[in-house]
Amino acid sequence: MTKTNMVPVPSLGIIPERDVNRMPILDIHHLGIDFGGLHAVEDFNLVIGRTEIAGLIGPNGAGKTTVFNLLTNVYTPSRGVILLDGVDIRGKKTWQLNEMGIARTFQNIRLFNKLTVEDNVKVGLHNICRYSTLEGVLRLPRYWKMEKEAHEKAMELLSIFDMQHMANYVAGSLPYGAQRRLEIVRALATNPKLLLLDEPAAGMNPSETAELMQNIRKIRDDFQIAIMLIEHDMNLVMGICEGIAVLNYGKIIAKGTPDQIKADPVVIEAYLGRQGEESLHAEG
Amino acid sequence: MTKYKNLSSPTKNMVSTFALVIGLFLILQILLLTGSVSSLVKGQLVPICAYIVMAVSLNLTVGILGELSLGHAGFMSVGAFSGVVMSSVLKQAGASDGLRLFVSILTGCVFGAIVGFLIGIPVLRLKGDYLAIVTLAFGEIIKSIMNNLYIGLDASGLHVNMLKDNLNMTDGRVIISGPMGVSGNDKLSTFFAGFLLILFCLFVIFNFVDSRAGRAVAAQRDNYIATESVGINVTKYKLTAFTISAGMAGMAGTLFALNYSTVVASKFDFNTSILVLVFVVLGGLGNMKGSILAAIVLTLLPELLRAFSTYRMLLYAIVLILIMLITNNPEMKHVVDTVLSRIKGLFRRRKGGAVND
Ligand SMILES: Nc1ncnc2c1ncn2[C@@H]1O[C@H](COP(=O)(O)OP(=O)(O)O)[C@@H](O)[C@H]1O
Ligand SMILES: [Mg+2]
């Protein structure tokens, strides 16, 4: 008797043409989670290409942040399968998922407020510039070599956002916009394959947002990674996202290109048409 | 924005702490040579060293790891008795005093660290008050075990039992005799050994803090989820810091025990854990210099107050409250800071003057 080896194949969905011949970075099937009786996320299906910039939009409380928390196992899914680079991530802990290639930022900024900007990035480099605790305590050669490398890498990463001169500042004392940028740098430091950004432009002024747009695109181009972002600023979303999914009450109500999403009557009814009022409460 | 350089840099902090310890040691050596140290204080030198190691190691757990531990004396106890047993074994083997002390302290470290590691696995899963209560319980459990432990040494080796009658000794000597503890112990500890031990522990702590592992520990104290999100197994580093802290407490225990001819388990009880915690809190969380000074002052204070006999503990309490007020009250702190900066200013002006001359 011979058994057939069955392999997972990508589900239906759209990805950029340039990524077609490669394994999608993310392939999510029927993902769901309940909080008590509330289906916060229900039957969530999505494919993201290896170098895609994808957007996840929807009204406040739709379940967008919850999706990120499921992808990083801050919450454990009640249902569904998540394939990261073709590998089922079930049962993996948050820190293991980062080692597998998922890095993220947080809607309510979570920096290491008492550490310096440079140390924040160096914590992100934890698994890149490695040496054992013993090597560190005894100050063996590897310690000096890796610390030097970490310093150089941290400066290089900070230069993406022109933040090298802030290296010695305490992270908690930075202005809001700089804190958001530092969170992105820290996530990038872990050398991810997929970067999750939760409302990266929240609290930024229009010129900061415009600059951020450029930088997100540049990060994708330079690092050749996939980026999935949650954002209420439609200029940013429609400007840089290639594929967009719209979430409402925990369910995807539309998927498509920016042009398709902009013209979708269901999306306009549920979200885009109400953007004016929504953005007033966007700081949730 | 606040620049970190304006606060204190890790290297500067380390250098000044070493300078403090070495400076105090040299001053004491001179005082000892000129015979101006009272026998009362002389007798306290090794215990002070042991308490300093206890304080800086507990500061690693409370100040740097950020977890309130109320059972630190338990690890001291494990180190004390395992060290005493090792020193007896080595005596039988005919080792020199110096070697016996060294290997015994190492033994205290290993046993303290092992017990710390095993206790850390369940305890570090807890948070805040729960963790504090459970460490308290473990401290008491260790005390009870040590109180009922019998260890004897004869030609056939070590005999360990929880009942005296079951030791099955033919001849030889009982090293640890349950609640009676250890008696007829060789006093191997020296002030110099205590001094070296303090330097070693400070070296380890400062280098740990200023390394990849130390950054992970500092990061988790600031934000647990963010630390996990950058690929750090937080539990592993918490356990590492806790184990190092327990190993150091073990070494302090050996140093302490080998300074007396009799040692009993009840010495390492809840009161001792709290006393060391007072050193840490008084000296400032994460502040090693503070821990060192608090340990010195508060160990010597009861001895110096002996002249007041009946009122001794009352005065001790009053002084303690006063110190707390001065160091933790913002207004008082302001006054102290102004005075200190004036004194510093005076020094600077003098130095400047000398250059101009
Ligand atoms: N830990 C939790 N426990 C209970 N309910 C939660 C939890 N996290 C999120 N929710 C609920 O799930 C829904 C989606 O929240 P969220 O994902 O934060 O929305 P958003 O789309 O604004 O990011 C909300 O109704 C929220 O109250
Ligand atoms: Mg959200």
Side-chain angles (χ1 to χ4, degrees):
Chain A
M1 265 279 284
T2 54
K3 268 195 209 159
T4 316
N5 274 334
M6 301 294 283
V7 295
V9 293
S11 57
L12 292 176
I14 55 166
I15 58 172
E17 193 173 7
R18 61 175 184 277
D19 293 335
V20 162
N21 291 324
R22 305 165 67 197
M23 175 77 75
I25 194 65
L26 206 53
D27 190 1
I28 307 172
H29 299 263
H30 311 296
L31 186 64
I33 186 171
D34 306 332
F35 293 122
L38 173 79
H39 300 309
V41 174
E42 236 335 66
D43 198 25
F44 186 95
N45 298 284
L46 194 67
V47 190
I48 295 180
R50 289 200 81 90
T51 62
E52 179 175 348
I53 299 181
L56 183 59
I57 62 173
N60 277 313
K64 305 180 296 295
T65 299
T66 303
V67 170
F68 276 15
N69 284 333
L70 292 172
L71 290 174
T72 50
N73 202 20
V74 172
Y75 302 149
T76 306
S78 309
R79 294 169 294 280
V81 179
I82 301 168
L83 300 178
L84 175 73
D85 209 355
V87 179
D88 190 346
I89 64 168
R90 188 189 310 255
K92 292 277 187 274
K93 301 205 172 70
T94 302
W95 63 272
Q96 290 171 320
L97 288 169
N98 178 267
E99 284 195 325
M100 291 174 72
I102 303 181
R104 71 175 289 188
T105 67
F106 298 86
Q107 181 176 353
N108 45 345
I109 303 175
R110 288 174 178 269
L111 283 173
F112 309 125
N113 284 325
K114 297 199 189 81
L115 306 193
T116 62
V117 167
E118 181 176 342
D119 277 350
N120 267 268
V121 185
K122 281 183 177 169
V123 174
L125 289 166
H126 188 85
N127 290 325
I128 309 298
C129 301
R130 298 180 94 118
Y131 54 85
S132 73
T133 302
L134 194 67
E135 283 170 320
V137 167
L138 298 180
R139 293 291 193 255
L140 297 183
R142 215 176 135 72
Y143 163 85
W144 299 106
K145 184 168 166 267
M146 285 299 160
E147 281 295 316
K148 184 163 170 275
E149 213 174 290
H151 170 74
E152 284 161 6
K153 279 215 169 91
M155 288 303 161
E156 196 184 314
L157 286 161
L158 283 170
S159 73
I160 297 174
F161 290 107
D162 242 335
M163 289 175 75
Q164 310 96 302
H165 64 283
M166 294 180 178
N168 289 321
Y169 288 107
V170 178
S173 73
L174 294 183
Y176 199 73
Q179 294 200 6
R180 287 224 172 271
R181 289 188 284 270
L182 178 57
E183 253 204 328
I184 299 178
V185 174
R186 182 183 67 188
L188 265 183
T190 66
N191 196 18
K193 293 186 253 184
L194 170 67
L195 180 61
L196 307 176
L197 305 176
D198 198 343
E199 306 200 9
M204 286 189 178
N205 60 41
S207 78
E208 276 182 311
T209 305
E211 202 176 312
L212 178 71
M213 263 172 83
Q214 301 297 322
N215 282 319
I216 290 176
R217 203 181 278 127
K218 187 170 141 47
I219 287 169
R220 193 274 312 273
D221 292 344
D222 292 353
F223 292 82
Q224 285 295 305
I225 58 176
I227 297 175
M228 182 176 180
L229 57 89
I230 296 171
E231 190 44 72
H232 286 289
D233 187 317
M234 282 309 120
N235 285 330
L236 186 145
V237 173
M238 299 303 173
I240 58 173
C241 291
E242 295 158 306
I244 297 173
V246 188
L247 208 57
N248 196 22
Y249 294 113
K251 290 201 176 108
I252 290 184
I253 54 169
K255 278 193 273 193
T257 62
D259 288 337
Q260 289 168 339
I261 295 298
K262 266 188 268 186
D264 192 322
V266 179
V267 179
I268 293 169
E269 162 66 24
Y271 180 53
L272 292 181
R274 305 206 319 240
Q275 259 275 294
E277 346 158 11
E278 279 294 340
S279 58
L280 290 177
H281 313 285
E283 287 306 300
Chain B
M1 288 188 280
T2 322
K3 233 180 181 170
Y4 194 71
K5 280 189 178 150
N6 298 343
L7 308 172
S8 65
S9 82
T11 328
K12 222 164 116 186
N13 201 351
M14 176 171 175
V15 170
S16 65
T17 309
F18 272 93
L20 173 75
V21 173
I22 295 171
L24 285 175
F25 177 76
L26 291 178
I27 291 171
L28 260 171
Q29 284 301 325
I30 292 167
L31 290 179
L32 282 170
L33 281 176
T34 55
S36 36
V37 180
S38 73
S39 62
L40 245 166
V41 173
K42 246 189 230 169
Q44 290 297 309
L45 289 179
V46 174
I48 287 175
C49 289
Y51 281 126
I52 289 176
V53 173
M54 283 299 285
V56 295
S57 65
L58 184 63
N59 209 338
L60 176 60
T61 298
V62 179
I64 290 161
L65 183 59
E67 301 292 0
L68 183 56
S69 166
L70 299 177
H72 211 50
F75 306 126
M76 190 184 191
S77 179
V78 170
F81 289 107
S82 59
V84 166
V85 170
M86 180 51 87
S87 87
S88 300
V89 171
L90 288 174
K91 187 182 188 178
Q92 204 177 47
S96 73
D97 281 5
L99 184 71
R100 278 171 71 195
L101 180 62
F102 180 77
V103 177
S104 299
I105 290 180
L106 210 63
T107 309
C109 177
V110 170
F111 277 83
I114 290 174
V115 173
F117 179 79
L118 293 177
I119 290 179
I121 292 172
V123 161
L124 292 173
R125 286 170 190 277
L126 303 169
K127 290 192 169 69
D129 299 346
Y130 297 101
L131 185 142
I133 292 164
V134 174
T135 53
L136 187 160
F138 271 112
E140 291 302 294
I141 290 171
I142 292 175
K143 193 188 80 182
S144 299
I145 292 175
M146 292 302 173
N147 234 334
N148 293 290
L149 188 66
Y150 293 86
I151 296 184
L153 180 67
D154 63 13
S156 63
L158 281 175
H159 297 255
V160 183
N161 208 288
M162 300 298 282
L163 288 172
K164 188 171 192 172
D165 298 338
N166 292 359
L167 267 183
N168 296 328
M169 302 268 293
T170 44
D171 52 349
R173 193 169 82 84
V174 176
I175 306 171
I176 302 175
S177 180
M180 310 293 291
V182 177
S183 49
N185 197 18
D186 287 339
K187 297 193 209 172
L188 298 173
S189 293
T190 61
F191 179 40
F192 187 63
F195 166 69
L196 290 182
L197 185 60
I198 294 170
L199 289 186
F200 171 74
C201 290
L202 287 174
F203 176 83
V204 171
I205 291 174
F206 278 110
N207 282 352
F208 176 80
V209 168
D210 188 20
S211 77
R212 176 174 171 268
R215 275 196 301 266
V217 167
Q220 65 82 32
R221 199 182 52 217
D222 254 8
N223 202 310
Y224 183 92
I225 291 183
T227 310
E228 294 249 305
S229 86
V230 291
I232 295 176
N233 181 357
V234 171
T235 314
K236 175 179 152 187
Y237 287 99
K238 281 171 90 168
L239 200 51
T240 307
F242 195 73
T243 305
I244 292 175
S245 169
M248 286 178 179
M251 294 197 276
T254 310
L255 182 78
F256 187 87
L258 292 179
N259 187 51
Y260 298 99
S261 56
T262 50
V263 190
V264 289
S266 56
K267 175 74 192 107
F268 310 105
D269 61 356
F270 180 59
N271 287 331
T272 304
S273 292
I274 292 297
L275 182 71
V276 177
L277 186 63
V278 169
F279 299 160
V280 172
V281 173
L282 209 58
L285 296 183
N287 181 345
M288 296 301 154
K289 272 178 293 211
S291 288
I292 293 166
L293 291 175
I296 296 172
V297 171
L298 291 186
T299 312
L300 281 180
L301 199 58
E303 303 299 325
L304 298 179
L305 291 176
R306 243 174 233 283
F308 300 92
S309 60
T310 355
Y311 301 107
R312 193 177 123 206
M313 286 327 280
L314 179 67
L315 284 173
Y316 180 80
I318 293 173
V319 174
L320 198 61
I321 292 169
L322 282 180
I323 298 177
M324 291 252 187
L325 278 178
I326 292 171
T327 50
N328 289 328
N329 183 317
E331 283 155 40
M332 288 285 222
K333 215 172 175 171
H334 182 71
V335 174
V336 174
D337 282 350
T338 355
V339 173
L340 280 180
S341 69
R342 286 235 180 95
I343 295 173
K344 270 188 197 161
L346 270 180
F347 268 105
R348 243 177 242 143
R349 230 167 284 150
R350 280 220 191 118
K351 265 196 213 157
V355 172
N356 285 345
D357 289 350

